Amino acid sequence: MHAPMDQLARTPKEIGAAIRRARKLHGWSQSELGHRAGLRQATISLIETGDRPAKLDSILAVLAALDLEFTIGARSKSAPSDVEALS
């Protein structure tokens, strides 16, 4: 069992970075995650970089494959510097 991954993500790049971290925690390659989500490896790569828009259905398939869920909540009032640095 993997540790909880509650993370704040407000941009496509932050969503992609969170997905990449979750994939690596599972020890999966992009190809493996793609297979489990029913997507191509290239689509996983695009989602993880956040450089181009991804379909919501694709993101939800990836989250389901990673046993994660999408939660909507009130926006916190934290400063951008409070959000985890992504590298």
Side-chain angles (χ1 to χ4, degrees):
M1 172 97 10
H2 298 285
M5 277 201 46
D6 291 344
Q7 296 178 45
L8 175 62
R10 293 181 172 158
T11 67
K13 286 188 182 292
E14 290 173 351
I15 292 167
I19 288 171
R20 182 176 52 251
R21 282 191 293 273
R23 174 179 59 79
K24 289 182 176 184
L25 280 173
H26 280 79
W28 298 343
S29 66
Q30 288 181 344
S31 294
E32 169 118 16
L33 176 54
H35 176 75
R36 291 171 179 264
L39 301 168
R40 297 177 311 124
Q41 177 274 327
T43 302
I44 301 301
S45 178
L46 288 174
I47 290 170
E48 287 188 0
T49 61
D51 290 332
R52 295 183 44 206
K55 292 182 181 178
L56 183 57
D57 286 347
S58 297
I59 293 172
L60 292 174
V62 168
L63 293 176
L66 291 165
D67 200 26
L68 298 173
E69 62 186 13
F70 186 48
T71 304
I72 297 175
R75 186 176 267 257
S76 64
K77 304 299 182 209
S78 62
S81 61
D82 293 340
V83 177
E84 177 183 349
L86 303 173
S87 55

